[in-house]
Amino acid sequence: MVVLSILLLNTLMVFREYIVLSRVQGITFILIIFICSFKTYPQTERLSVPEYVDCPRDWVSSWQGRVITYHRSNNMMSFVIDTDADTIEKVEIHFTKLDQLVKQLYFNDQPFKMTDWAIIEQSKRVIRDNILVTVWFCQNSSYLSRINWRSA
């Protein structure tokens, strides 16, 4: 009888541990489902830094996306980008001569030409709807940002 009681007690202890373990596994499963239900952002492919960006590579960052607002005057250009990373970023560049600005611009990874304004602007200083941009900027402000325009 004592042996049967000990055996029964051991069986109950094992069964109790199984129930506790099952609860832990169940809670773990529920936590995994809960965590996975949060919004995840798509991974965008990391861009390789083009040769025309003269900043040291470990100081370079970039924004890439669609231009949603744009303004260009005689001494300043600004635009807002809806980035591929689901952020909104504003870029503002001040200059004294248009040639200074053009030195920072590229179109399809080629140095920007004055005739390229007609490709990115639908009328003077109004951006076309299908224009995409990549802005390369350096953590060290002594390096100029580079702006690469492209058509969608």
Side-chain angles (χ1 to χ4, degrees):
M1 188 68 153
V2 173
V3 172
L4 186 59
S5 295
I6 292 173
L7 186 60
L8 184 59
L9 186 59
N10 283 341
T11 304
L12 287 174
M13 293 296 287
V14 168
F15 184 71
R16 182 172 172 252
E17 287 178 22
Y18 175 76
I19 290 173
V20 170
L21 186 59
S22 293
R23 283 186 188 163
V24 170
Q25 287 173 337
I27 291 170
T28 303
F29 178 75
I30 290 169
L31 284 173
I32 289 170
I33 297 299
F34 179 73
I35 291 169
C36 290
S37 68
F38 286 104
K39 182 177 180 185
T40 58
Y41 294 96
Q43 292 289 328
T44 55
E45 188 175 316
R46 186 172 174 90
L47 301 174
S48 58
V49 181
E51 291 298 316
Y52 55 79
V53 176
D54 50 359
C55 175
R57 298 305 185 245
D58 56 341
W59 293 355
V60 175
S61 292
S62 67
W63 295 321
Q64 178 175 275
R66 184 171 301 281
V67 178
I68 54 177
T69 63
Y70 174 84
H71 173 75
R72 180 169 63 96
S73 67
N74 292 333
N75 60 358
M76 191 258 306
M77 180 175 71
S78 67
F79 53 93
V80 176
I81 308 167
D82 181 4
T83 72
D84 295 348
D86 290 333
T87 63
I88 302 294
E89 306 295 344
K90 183 173 183 179
V91 177
E92 192 169 290
I93 299 173
H94 296 270
F95 53 92
T96 53
K97 294 182 180 181
L98 189 58
D99 289 347
Q100 290 176 316
L101 172 64
V102 169
K103 288 179 184 176
Q104 291 181 251
L105 304 180
Y106 290 79
F107 185 74
N108 290 331
D109 289 315
Q110 299 300 313
F112 198 84
K113 301 180 294 277
M114 293 304 278
T115 56
D116 291 333
W117 289 117
I119 298 170
I120 69 167
E121 294 179 339
Q122 70 183 26
S123 61
K124 190 165 182 139
R125 300 184 173 136
V126 177
I127 198 82
R128 292 186 185 277
D129 288 337
N130 62 343
I131 296 299
L132 303 174
V133 69
T134 303
V135 177
W136 299 97
F137 57 95
C138 189
Q139 294 173 9
N140 181 337
S141 61
S142 65
Y143 293 92
L144 293 174
S145 297
R146 302 291 186 221
I147 294 105
N148 184 41
W149 303 99
R150 345 181 267 296
S151 296

